[in-house]
Amino acid sequence: MLVLLGLAVLITYLWSLPKPWHPDPRTLAELAREIVLPLYMGFLLPVICLGYASAAIADERTGETLVYLLTTNIPRPLVYLSKYAAALILTLGMALGGLGSLCLVPGKIGLEALGVFWPVTACATAAYVGLFLLFSAWVRRATFLSLAYALMIETLTGNIPGFVKRITVSFYAKSWLYESGEMLELAAKGVALSLFDPVSAATAQWVLGLASAGFIVLGMWIFSRKEYD
Amino acid sequence: MSSESTTMTALAEVRNVSKWFGPVMALNGVSLEIGSGITGLVGPNGAGKTTLLRLLTGQIKPSLGGIDVCGRDAWSPRAKDHIGLCPFGDATWDELSGRQLVRVTAGLRGFTGAEARRRAEAVLETVGMVDRANRPVRTYSKGMRQRIKLGQALIHDPDMLVLDEPLNGVDPVGCEELNDLFRTLAAQGKAVLVSSHILHEMDQLADRILFVCRGKLLASGPLEEIRDMLDDHPLKVRISCESPRWIGPQLLTLESVKSVSIETPRDLLLEVQNPSRFYAEFCEFAAGNDAQVQRFKATDTSTEAVFDYLMERAVRPE
């Protein structure tokens, strides 16, 4: 994970250097459009989340240590909730730390972007962790399922025109960002924005919140009923 | 087939439990009670022992029937207050030291701060690991791992200890030390359920035996009763001697011998009906006839053979 993050920081650094075809200093909107949205929100954030969340229960299963948790007197839903809290804290630290390092590489312009991006990142992280932890409670090889989901659903479906992309977490995160980032002209290109067809930031916040809660409740239900081998 | 002559206060009650995993029936209509003292759960590999232990510790639910531990459904968190499990296998959080591992387990059981430390030190003392408790668990031998796992199981002072093949892979000295520990715990009034696929491991240890094979409880009760049941167990015995053609017909006169065949010029193969009686009769015969026996070996005394016999008895029409 740290290697991926280091690579992203290096890419951002190289991007921010003045070039013959782009001698002017980078703007805030460019940082957001060219680095943070595609590289961080589109790839790094889901990978960070799946790295921690999908392993939370699946690793205990493959390591055969889950038995120690299942035979304590702690109710299973509470065990699941504790796992969620632990995975969320770890992932938030990594996700916000990663966002901070990417934004700060180009200098002062990144601070403003960080202010806009961090609440969206935090909420999207909560939803992703809920989803990937649910996979972890459901199947033994949760990392593969999460990876397939991240690549097939979030990356591919999330970027095609139409209504289908509304099943992805990233759609709502981006919708929220576009509205919050109006002053940054994140989605200033009218054609692109109409193709994306975002929902309002308020709707996106509701959906992300409800999705997180829904994933947690469903995960608790699966974990409290499932017989693990 | 089950025989139960002793009266006891049951800590765990298994009522007509069946368990399927897809098309595989792991347990079939098992009913039993477990009380204080050491109970040996014996059966060949794949008999359903681990399934029964997982049901008792609330890891899985029965497909049919019910299981109570101290009056509560085994699946419920309250029942787990009364049970300590020492699972099969070595898996644990290896990066921790033995002391840290036991303290983490104390935390999982709801003990914190000074109470967690006090309990951890007490169980480390009980399992004899105080001096090695600061080493990482990954450096432990098999016997030390079993001890530290036992420490984890004891941290909340449970009424019932469930030990899944605790002697598997442990050297003879370690086995004897662990057995002493189990006896001490049983003497304190705890119910200790020990599973094993090796019958003789239970000889000196268990007060009662539960025989499980192919998902069925074939027999249960004190070891002496089981031994009585096994008296009819047919046994094959190979004898090497100087003059098998002379001894063979003589042996046929013994009541316990069903048949005699000459396998090689020096070897006889006997089929005997009642092993205990045969051993007594053969000793008398050998001493009285100067039989010059060079080698004497029972060929099918394995646990599997005993279980096959019990299984045969279970399905044999009366």
Side-chain angles (χ1 to χ4, degrees):
Chain A
M1 205 67 74
L2 286 173
V3 174
L4 274 180
L5 201 59
L7 213 57
V9 169
L10 181 66
I11 290 169
T12 311
Y13 174 70
L14 293 175
W15 169 86
S16 67
L17 293 176
K19 295 172 188 69
W21 62 90
H22 195 301
D24 303 329
R26 296 287 184 174
T27 65
L28 186 52
E30 282 174 337
L31 171 69
R33 269 202 307 270
E34 294 172 21
I35 293 290
V36 180
L37 273 177
L39 181 65
Y40 182 77
M41 295 299 278
F43 174 71
L44 214 50
L45 182 61
V47 170
I48 289 172
C49 293
L50 80 85
Y52 287 105
S54 68
I57 293 170
D59 274 10
E60 299 264 16
R61 281 180 79 181
T62 48
E64 295 177 17
T65 48
L66 189 60
V67 63
Y68 293 108
L69 299 179
L70 298 182
T71 53
T72 63
N73 52 357
I74 307 169
R76 281 194 183 199
L78 211 56
V79 173
Y80 185 85
L81 214 52
S82 312
K83 278 280 183 191
Y84 177 79
L88 184 63
I89 290 168
L90 269 175
T91 316
L92 271 179
M94 195 70 184
L96 293 176
L99 177 70
S101 35
L102 283 192
C103 287
L104 293 179
V105 166
K108 260 172 60 181
I109 55 161
L111 275 177
E112 200 178 336
L114 190 60
V116 174
F117 278 112
W118 84 261
V120 187
T121 302
C123 285
T125 301
Y128 276 130
V129 169
L131 180 64
F132 295 140
L133 190 67
L134 165 66
F135 289 162
S136 193
W138 182 29
V139 294
R140 182 180 275 273
R141 301 196 185 282
T143 306
F144 291 115
L145 180 63
S146 304
L147 207 55
Y149 171 84
L151 294 176
M152 301 298 293
I153 308 293
E154 290 292 332
T155 308
L156 286 180
T157 313
N159 285 310
I160 57 172
F163 263 67
V164 185
K165 63 176 173 289
R166 294 192 176 206
I167 61 167
T168 64
V169 171
S170 60
F171 169 78
Y172 296 96
K174 282 179 186 169
S175 293
W176 183 355
L177 272 176
Y178 285 147
E179 194 173 309
S180 314
E182 262 174 354
M183 77 294 267
L184 306 181
E185 298 178 325
L186 283 188
K189 316 292 180 222
V191 177
L193 194 57
S194 67
L195 267 178
F196 187 74
D197 191 19
V199 293
S200 70
T203 308
Q205 287 161 14
W206 269 104
V207 172
L208 285 177
L210 286 175
S212 303
F215 292 146
I216 294 170
V217 170
L218 187 59
M220 282 163 73
W221 184 77
I222 290 174
F223 188 72
S224 60
R225 295 176 63 87
K226 195 169 168 68
E227 296 179 348
Y228 293 96
D229 47 21
Chain B
M1 188 73 182
S2 298
S3 62
E4 193 69 75
S5 62
T6 53
T7 53
M8 58 177 182
T9 314
L11 284 165
E13 189 185 357
V14 178
R15 295 183 310 276
N16 204 20
V17 163
S18 297
K19 179 68 188 174
W20 291 274
F21 294 105
V24 178
M25 184 174 244
L27 280 183
N28 183 6
V30 170
S31 295
L32 56 91
E33 289 184 351
I34 296 164
S36 55
I38 300 179
T39 305
L41 177 62
V42 191
N45 292 323
K49 301 188 299 293
T50 299
T51 301
L52 184 57
L53 297 188
R54 291 177 67 207
L55 283 160
L56 276 165
T57 51
Q59 295 175 65
I60 54 176
K61 285 179 183 171
S63 307
L64 281 176
I67 300 179
D68 285 347
V69 173
C70 295
R72 294 177 189 276
D73 182 74
W75 181 263
S76 71
R78 284 276 176 214
K80 290 168 187 169
D81 274 338
H82 300 278
I83 286 197
L85 170 69
C86 188
F88 182 75
D90 289 338
T92 185
W93 295 289
D94 276 1
E95 61 279 12
L96 301 179
S97 71
R99 183 167 271 112
Q100 287 170 327
L101 184 64
V102 176
R103 281 189 191 166
V104 165
T105 313
L108 286 173
R109 287 284 174 181
F111 305 111
T112 52
E115 177 63 7
R117 283 195 294 278
R118 187 191 67 74
R119 283 181 178 262
E121 293 310 313
V123 295
L124 287 171
E125 180 77 40
T126 305
V127 299
M129 286 292 288
V130 173
D131 53 337
R132 293 160 286 185
N134 287 331
R135 279 171 50 185
V137 175
R138 66 172 176 274
T139 65
Y140 283 1
S141 68
K142 186 91 183 172
M144 287 157 74
R145 277 174 180 269
Q146 290 294 358
R147 282 168 185 271
I148 211 75
K149 276 163 55 186
L150 197 59
Q152 287 181 276
L154 286 169
I155 195 77
H156 58 298
D157 192 24
D159 298 311
M160 184 171 163
L161 265 175
V162 176
L163 314 169
D164 194 356
E165 307 248 4
L167 305 177
N168 188 28
V170 181
D171 61 72
V173 177
C175 279
E176 200 41 54
E177 288 174 356
L178 283 173
N179 283 346
D180 285 343
L181 189 53
F182 301 154
R183 286 186 202 103
T184 308
L185 293 168
Q188 291 167 6
K190 294 189 192 301
V192 183
L193 179 62
V194 188
S195 86
S196 175
H197 64 279
I198 301 165
L199 184 59
H200 77 255
E201 273 185 1
M202 295 297 133
D203 277 359
Q204 301 300 314
L205 182 64
D207 305 316
R208 297 172 61 248
I209 299 280
L210 304 168
F211 268 101
V212 186
C213 190
R214 294 174 208 170
K216 287 193 156 220
L217 180 66
L218 297 185
S220 68
L223 196 55
E224 297 74 35
E225 283 187 19
I226 305 284
R227 284 201 187 288
D228 288 344
M229 289 167 65
L230 293 178
D231 270 351
D232 289 340
H233 175 210
L235 187 70
K236 286 190 173 131
V237 178
R238 179 170 283 113
I239 296 173
S240 299
C241 57
E242 286 295 325
S243 47
R245 289 187 179 278
W246 177 79
I247 289 178
Q250 311 273 339
L251 286 173
L252 262 179
T253 61
L254 303 182
E255 245 181 86
S256 55
V257 177
K258 278 176 73 181
S259 70
V260 177
S261 58
I262 298 173
E263 284 231 307
T264 67
R266 297 173 71 89
D267 284 345
L268 284 170
L269 186 66
L270 275 61
E271 195 182 354
V272 304
Q273 184 59 49
N274 183 323
S276 312
R277 192 195 299 171
F278 168 72
Y279 293 135
E281 287 179 348
F282 184 78
C283 285
E284 204 175 306
F285 167 82
N289 292 280
D290 189 22
Q292 293 188 324
V293 174
Q294 290 153 351
R295 200 157 154 263
F296 179 100
K297 189 169 185 251
T299 60
D300 53 359
T301 52
S302 66
T303 317
E304 281 73 12
V306 173
F307 291 128
D308 283 345
Y309 168 68
L310 285 170
M311 195 69 193
E312 246 176 59
R313 272 186 58 150
V315 298
R316 190 188 303 158
E318 293 297 323

